[in-house]
Amino acid sequence: MAAMSESTPLIDTSVKEFNNQPKIQFRRRTTLFKSIIVPLVILIILTVYTTANLIKVDFSEHEIRGEDGVSLKLPHFLSRPLSVRIYTNNIRFDNVNYPDKGEKSWTRDRKKQVVNSIDFHTGSLGHANVVCLQEVLYHQLQDVLEGLNTNADNEYQKWSFYGIGRDDGEKAGEFSPIFYKRKDWTLLENETYWLSETPSTPSKGWDAVLPRIVTQVTLQSKINPLVKINVFNTHFDHKGRLARKKSAQLIVDKMENYNDYPSFLCGDFNTEPSDQPYKVLSGAGFKDSRLSVARDFAYGEESTFTGFDKENEITNSIIDYVWSPYYTKSIDDDEDEEEGDNVFIGLSNYFNSEQHKHYKIIIKQFGILHNFFKGFYFSDHRPVVATYEISRTSLFAEEENLRLS
């Protein structure tokens, strides 16, 4: 019955052929070939070679400098914005034994709409998508992956994922998986931590009722290899107040100086904006995407948790979030505003990071999506979506210099 109670919202109070031609024509073509086509081909080869060698260099670990040592601007094609859409949803575990009032079968009903929602909202051209799910049992993970890849033209177009079960670090218990497409992203690193005093092993932490985890991946864009991001996906305990606070602190500590790439954190935090864990995260410099877009321009609903009872739908419950780095700007912010060294001092830059000198992030969209279709809820949580433009503006000064002739 403990699993049932997890569905209860927490209102915490306390990615050529020549044909036989006349001789003269052949000579003319030969002259044309030598005078124009050959140089053109050579130019193309040199361009491709140069570009390929540029891209093979790990720019995130070098700084481009001129002979005078002054930093140079990145080429336009390497500094263009990458559109990244992050979709997060607690899909509700396959609760066969103790379904809530109004809760439909996962196999018969809910899985189709879960897959449809993800597919529709990540199907836009131009986005590199990342999908984070919570409360996912192993067979549900397989259902979602199979559903999303049903219409994929080839392996390159398919979704892949990283995640492990929280009970044994393999397949047992709920997953908090992170999905991405191979055409969009290269997986550089992945890891899972348990939200406890022993984060490297399966365990429950503090006053938590159940084992809780945070799944982490480092992804490199295939469109612009200069852009690398970290994505963290988690699900906080539904009962333990201390566990939620400590979980927030543990995640903040894990992210401190982890690497030089922007980090995004999302999931079901079982935490309202007025609660202490929210304050820990916001105090560490994370920006709540819900608040980063003006309310009039945000899409969809107000609450992220609904329950399954349509007649008594839960309102005003915000416990699911997408968090972004401290220097994230909204589209309303002044694009020409100069960012001096002192702009991000204090709580807005908890790690005293200089990341804002090398990356630019603008949130373009935010929405809390609908979860009630065809007469039933596909989950007791609504999906939360945020779309960002991520640009690499310069390279890291502290790394080895790369001189361009």
Side-chain angles (χ1 to χ4, degrees), residues 170-182:
E170 295 181 13
K171 296 181 180 180
E174 295 177 6
F175 288 60
S176 292
I178 301 176
F179 296 78
Y180 60 95
K181 282 188 176 181
R182 298 166 186 160

Side-chain angles (χ1 to χ4, degrees), residues 15 55 58 184-188 218-229:
V15 94
I55 292 176
D58 186 357
D184 295 328
W185 302 102
T186 298
L187 179 65
L188 299 180
T218 299
L219 301 171
Q220 180 179 29
S221 169
K222 290 187 176 180
I223 298 173
N224 184 349
L226 277 181
V227 175
K228 301 176 185 179
I229 64 172

Side-chain angles (χ1 to χ4, degrees), residues 17-29:
E17 177 181 345
F18 283 100
N19 294 323
N20 294 326
Q21 300 287 345
K23 195 81 169 177
I24 186 68
Q25 291 184 16
F26 181 79
R27 286 173 178 168
R28 287 173 180 170
R29 290 183 181 183

Side-chain angles (χ1 to χ4, degrees), residues 5 20 97 152 193 224 242 277 328 338 347 354:
S5 59
N20 294 326
N97 297 323
Y193 306 107
N224 184 349
L242 179 62
T328 302
E338 291 295 327
L347 291 179
E354 294 190 346

Side-chain angles (χ1 to χ4, degrees), residues 8 20 22 24 29 51 62 64 76 80 154 227 231 265 289 296 339 354 368 371 375 387-388:
T8 304
N20 294 326
I24 186 68
R29 290 183 181 183
T51 302
H62 297 78
I64 297 177
H76 175 69
R80 64 187 180 189
N154 50 58
V227 175
V231 180
L265 171 64
S289 56
D296 287 346
E339 297 177 356
E354 294 190 346
I368 299 174
N371 62 339
T387 305
Y388 301 89

Side-chain angles (χ1 to χ4, degrees), residues 41-52:
V41 170
I42 292 174
L43 178 60
I44 292 173
I45 291 173
L46 287 174
T47 302
V48 171
Y49 174 81
T50 303
T51 302

Side-chain angles (χ1 to χ4, degrees), residues 376-390:
F376 64 90
Y377 292 93
F378 63 72
S379 174
D380 52 349
H381 289 249
R382 292 188 173 114
V384 176
V385 177
T387 305
Y388 301 89
E389 277 192 353
I390 304 176

